[in-house]
Amino acid sequence: MIDLQDKNNYPTIEAIGEYVRNPVFMQFFTEIKNTYKCNEKIEYSSCSWEKGWNIKLKKAGKTLCTVYPRECYFTVMIVIGTKEKMLVEEILPECTIELSDIYSQTKEGNGQRWLMIDLEDKGNLYNDVLRLIQIRRNS
């Protein structure tokens, strides 16, 4: 089993998937890669807020989302900036209460909200995350 805090042990996507132990992780990763033909970048973050290995999914120099592996689930961070804000707020009434709560409880700073969304299954929240990523890509 990998240690996500070990800066000297660069993990593969497969090793991260084994750490998460939830098939939705690899399904999400594969779906985003296939849909957007984007690149993944496995990075070690020394940030005190979220220290450890994470995966950035990027297209045309823009980060679509950052994935933080957890045991049995994973967290997807999506930055909603000024370009995306209006579009996201238009679809919020159609989204899950969970996503609406995350959005309203995330403070805006410098015109951005950094949404941290925990995913465990392919339910409605998963679909909401896909919609946010699509808005981010198209903005």
Side-chain angles (χ1 to χ4, degrees):
M1 178 85 60
I2 63 171
D3 178 0
L4 292 177
Q5 304 301 313
D6 183 356
K7 188 177 186 173
N8 300 313
N9 190 5
Y10 184 88
T12 63
I13 292 295
E14 293 74 22
I16 293 172
E18 288 173 19
Y19 172 84
V20 174
R21 293 189 327 270
N22 182 330
V24 175
F25 171 79
M26 288 306 288
Q27 291 168 10
F28 176 82
F29 179 75
T30 302
E31 188 165 353
I32 299 301
K33 291 270 298 176
N34 290 342
T35 301
Y36 299 104
K37 308 294 184 242
C38 58
N39 298 315
E40 80 271 2
K41 186 170 185 183
I42 300 172
E43 293 183 343
Y44 186 85
S45 173
S46 297
C47 172
S48 59
W49 182 49
E50 193 67 49
K51 191 174 183 176
W53 290 101
N54 62 59
I55 306 154
K56 287 187 172 34
L57 292 160
K58 297 182 170 201
K59 179 71 176 180
K62 177 187 244 181
T63 301
L64 300 177
C65 66
T66 303
V67 179
Y68 297 92
R70 316 283 191 208
E71 289 190 55
C72 301
Y73 71 101
F74 56 102
T75 301
V76 179
M77 181 181 74
I78 302 173
V79 178
I80 304 302
T82 52
K83 290 180 186 174
E84 298 91 5
K85 182 179 179 176
M86 189 178 74
L87 294 169
V88 169
E89 289 179 356
E90 281 178 15
I91 68 158
L92 272 180
E94 305 163 14
C95 295
T96 59
I97 297 292
E98 287 172 280
L99 183 69
S100 294
D101 288 349
I102 291 167
Y103 187 85
S104 65
Q105 292 167 13
T106 302
K107 292 191 184 339
E108 192 171 313
N110 296 328
Q112 297 180 326
R113 290 179 200 245
W114 294 33
L115 306 182
M116 300 292 283
I117 307 160
D118 295 337
L119 292 179
E120 295 179 61
D121 58 44
K122 286 185 82 167
N124 292 330
L125 186 58
Y126 180 97
N127 293 326
D128 289 347
V129 168
L130 296 181
R131 288 179 77 183
L132 293 179
I133 291 170
Q134 182 179 30
I135 289 171
R136 180 115 176 107
R137 172 62 186 115
N138 294 333
S139 65

